[in-house]
Amino acid sequence: MLAEARWPEPGDGPAPTVPGFVHSMFPPLVAAVADRCLTRRHGTPPAAGDVGARTAVLLASAGGDRASADHVHTTVATGGRVGPLFFYQSVPNSIAGHVAARWGLGGPVLCLSPTTADPRAEATAEADLLLYDGDADEALLVLIEQTATGDHAVAVLLGQGDTECGPGDFAVSSPPTS
């Protein structure tokens, strides 16, 4: 593991807003935890040359951006008109691409909706494929969930040979099951 970050960490208030993203804290939370993790490894953006050019971004969320999805659903159901920013924001790849562009990351960008009880295992398995197949030299994994008890995100930057995380190394609260 090359770097790790969580949101929230002690002393955190709301995540800073991200231009072009509205209504939901999902995109700002992804950007904030990714920035925090990448800053711990690379300092300020962009990531240096070849390293940044071969860094992948993987975003994993079982629940996705619930606030945006609920807003769009309610707006359409009541006959309202959905604002154009929601078409852009409704695709999680948009905030992953924003992070990649801000940091100069040229590797693959993937968004996953884990289907098992262990989203970390699914995300690290995907990172493992990218790293060992030679598609990337580093992989930024961001897990995010929005729950009734709060929004939580974890970002981990992995390098080749570093995808073996221990239990809890990449834990984020999962949405409650019914």
Side-chain angles (χ1 to χ4, degrees), residues 76-120:
V76 171
T78 60
R81 188 168 178 213
V82 177
L85 286 178
F86 281 100
F87 292 103
Y88 169 76
Q89 181 173 313
S90 68
V91 180
N93 286 44
S94 61
I95 192 59
H98 172 85
V99 169
R102 174 173 158 68
W103 282 89
L105 308 179
V109 175
L110 305 170
C111 288
L112 310 170
S113 182
T115 58
T116 67
D118 191 352
R120 177 188 55 83

Side-chain angles (χ1 to χ4, degrees), residues 58 112 119-129 141 143 158 163-165 170:
L58 291 91
L112 310 170
R120 177 188 55 83
E122 282 192 51
T124 55
E126 291 296 326
D128 189 46
L129 288 173
L141 280 64
L143 263 70
L158 302 171
T163 58
E164 293 299 319
C165 295
F170 198 52

Side-chain angles (χ1 to χ4, degrees), residues 46-54 104:
D50 292 343
V51 173
R54 297 202 24 89

